[in-house]
Amino acid sequence: MFSWCLLGALFINGNIQAQSTPLMPEALEKLEAVEDTLGMLAYAMVNDSIEENRFGAVRAFIPTLVQALKTPNSFQFPFEQLQMVSIQYPADSTFRVFTWQVYVDKDNYRYYGAIQMDREELQLTPLRDRSFEVTEDLEQVVLSPDQWYGSLYYNIQTVGTGEQAYHLLFGFDGYEFFRKRKIVDVLRFVDGEPTFGAPVFIKASPDGMSSSSKNRLVFEYSATASMRCNYDLALDLLIFDHLTTIGGQYDEGPVNIPDGTYEAYQ
């Protein structure tokens, strides 16, 4: 099975690069020094076996990172040593998104993030994970940075150009012990402010007489499975595994697993 759905009008904003001022040598030296500290804190907040130590590392990491980003033109510094932190850029490099996850317990992860714009002076929007407070239909609600549904982003794909452009954010949510989630969120900048969710995932009925839309895609699947969900540049499609429901093997109840077929948005 391979279904074709509409994802608005698709124009890939390919190789436009932002024109930015390079880092001064003293600024580069400062950032390289603080990167070592950030790298150690990032490792601890993801890998330390003691919860108090993990969240203690988070409380130290955030202000240290913000202070580093206040360095003029810090956007040009890649923070390559922060292997525990995902840093994703759109094709035109006009901004970047930092995200990371912290294990709380077997059924709970906490997510952290921030959006940095490509500016000489710091323009940073913190992302506050409030996934545990969302009571509305997650695939329909529009969220602010203060209501962010947290996940660990692993890709960004830009759709459209100019004021009509939006960005698909591909994320992983550890969710709970038996079930994981893949999220495809929609990031737009409205009057310069980021917002999450937009009705761009449009699916026509089989007879073509009606259609439905979603503001984001949420796929929940068994923790024992691996699910593909990403943008395929060669095919110019958003491709994801089709999920089917089976009975759980460990008394966890029904779970979804890929059945070997795919679906796509064009």
Side-chain angles (χ1 to χ4, degrees), residues 144-201:
S144 71
D146 287 334
Q147 304 167 310
W148 179 54
Y149 188 91
S151 62
L152 184 68
Y153 294 140
Y154 55 89
N155 192 16
I156 295 179
Q157 181 66 34
T158 301
V159 179
T161 57
E163 294 182 357
Q164 303 302 315
Y166 57 87
H167 310 277
L168 302 178
L169 304 176
F170 294 81
F172 169 80
D173 176 13
Y175 194 51
E176 60 182 36
F177 185 75
F178 286 116
R179 295 169 179 84
K180 307 304 176 186
R181 284 179 170 179
K182 291 286 180 74
I183 311 290
V184 187
D185 215 332
V186 183
L187 171 63
R188 297 181 299 152
F189 291 92
V190 181
D191 296 326
E193 297 297 322
T195 184
F196 295 89
V200 302
F201 302 102

Side-chain angles (χ1 to χ4, degrees), residues 94 121 219:
T94 51
E121 300 299 325
F219 304 102

Side-chain angles (χ1 to χ4, degrees), residues 219-239:
F219 304 102
E220 188 175 306
Y221 59 97
S222 170
T224 63
S226 176
M227 181 190 175
R228 177 187 181 183
C229 178
N230 214 332
Y231 203 91
D232 191 306
L233 291 174
L235 296 175
D236 210 12
L237 294 172
L238 190 170
I239 295 182

Side-chain angles (χ1 to χ4, degrees), residues 100-128:
W100 67 93
Q101 68 177 10
V102 178
Y103 174 82
V104 180
D105 56 45
K106 68 181 184 67
D107 288 319
N108 192 10
Y109 288 83
R110 187 63 52 83
Y111 290 89
Y112 298 83
I115 300 173
Q116 182 187 14
M117 305 305 295
D118 183 6
R119 304 285 190 273
E120 181 178 358
E121 300 299 325
L122 180 61
Q123 183 177 338
L124 188 71
T125 302
L127 304 178
R128 295 181 172 89

Side-chain angles (χ1 to χ4, degrees), residues 243-247 254-257:
L243 300 175
T244 188
T245 303
I246 64 170
V255 291
N256 298 321
I257 63 168

Side-chain angles (χ1 to χ4, degrees), residues 3-186:
S3 66
W4 298 77
C5 305
L6 180 63
L7 183 67
L10 182 62
F11 305 94
I12 301 303
N13 188 8
N15 296 312
I16 301 173
Q17 298 297 321
Q19 300 298 315
S20 304
T21 305
L23 279 166
M24 299 297 290
E26 58 270 23
L28 180 61
E29 183 178 354
K30 172 185 175 181
L31 288 169
E32 287 176 341
V34 77
E35 185 181 27
D36 291 335
T37 300
L38 288 169
M40 290 186 292
L41 290 170
Y43 185 86
M45 66 189 183
V46 173
N47 293 290
D48 199 290
S49 60
I50 301 174
E51 180 180 351
E52 182 180 354
N53 292 347
R54 293 195 299 274
F55 282 93
V58 172
R59 290 191 291 271
F61 179 88
I62 292 174
T64 304
L65 176 62
V66 172
Q67 192 61 37
L69 293 178
K70 289 181 179 179
T71 305
N73 296 306
S74 65
F75 189 89
Q76 305 311 311
F77 191 76
F79 291 99
E80 292 177 343
Q81 292 188 35
L82 299 188
Q83 297 182 7
M84 301 296 110
V85 177
S86 171
I87 307 176
Q88 298 294 324
Y89 298 77
D92 62 5
S93 294
T94 51
F95 66 91
R96 61 182 175 182
V97 184
F98 296 81
T99 55
W100 67 93
Q101 68 177 10
V102 178
Y103 174 82
V104 180
D105 56 45
K106 68 181 184 67
D107 288 319
N108 192 10
Y109 288 83
R110 187 63 52 83
Y111 290 89
Y112 298 83
I115 300 173
Q116 182 187 14
M117 305 305 295
D118 183 6
R119 304 285 190 273
E120 181 178 358
E121 300 299 325
L122 180 61
Q123 183 177 338
L124 188 71
T125 302
L127 304 178
R128 295 181 172 89
D129 182 11
R130 291 295 181 268
S131 54
F132 49 89
E133 295 178 352
V134 177
T135 58
E136 302 161 84
D137 184 347
L138 182 56
E139 292 191 317
Q140 298 298 339
V141 66
V142 175
L143 301 172
S144 71
D146 287 334
Q147 304 167 310
W148 179 54
Y149 188 91
S151 62
L152 184 68
Y153 294 140
Y154 55 89
N155 192 16
I156 295 179
Q157 181 66 34
T158 301
V159 179
T161 57
E163 294 182 357
Q164 303 302 315
Y166 57 87
H167 310 277
L168 302 178
L169 304 176
F170 294 81
F172 169 80
D173 176 13
Y175 194 51
E176 60 182 36
F177 185 75
F178 286 116
R179 295 169 179 84
K180 307 304 176 186
R181 284 179 170 179
K182 291 286 180 74
I183 311 290
V184 187
D185 215 332
V186 183

